[in-house]
Amino acid sequence: CSPCGPYLLQPIDTGARVAGTPIGLRIQTPVQSRYFWIEHRTKVSSGSAIVITSAAYKPDHADGGVVSKSVMVDKLLEGTAADAYIFPTQTVELDVGEQGNPT
């Protein structure tokens, strides 16, 4: 990865913006125009947590680049929306291997 973390993300749900601090990370996948998005949330998670979503993105698209509905990534195979939050000290691994041939 380049650049590799750690990253300091400002929460996207507080209404406050800090100049120079990113509000999220975009991770490219081998599927054309498909990305993972990592966001820092505080309100619904009752504290700091990240949420990972997946959506198609084209930078020249009129709606800010997102061209499909986002899909929340659940850290458990069968869970609730609350299971999507990844809290400090928890880890998650994203497989962004080749399409049809995950690594």
Side-chain angles (χ1 to χ4, degrees), residues 19-90:
T21 304
I23 60 170
L25 299 175
R26 184 178 72 206
I27 301 172
Q28 188 173 6
T29 72
V31 178
Q32 185 176 2
S33 300
R34 176 62 69 174
Y35 293 86
F36 286 111
W37 304 85
I38 299 176
E39 303 169 348
H40 178 189
R41 305 272 179 108
T42 59
K43 291 185 178 183
V44 178
S45 64
S46 299
S48 292
I50 63 167
V51 174
I52 302 172
T53 59
S54 177
Y57 173 80
K58 294 182 181 174
D60 57 350
H61 192 269
D63 292 329
V66 176
V67 294
S68 72
K69 291 185 178 182
S70 64
V71 177
M72 190 167 290
V73 176
D74 192 344
K75 66 183 178 197
L76 303 173
L77 293 176
E78 297 178 18
T80 67
D83 293 329
Y85 293 109
I86 302 164
F87 294 95
T89 73
Q90 293 182 314

Side-chain angles (χ1 to χ4, degrees), residues 1-10 21-22 24-25 27 38 40 50:
C1 64
S2 178
C4 293
Y7 299 98
L8 173 64
L9 300 177
Q10 63 180 302
T21 304
L25 299 175
I27 301 172
I38 299 176
H40 178 189
I50 63 167

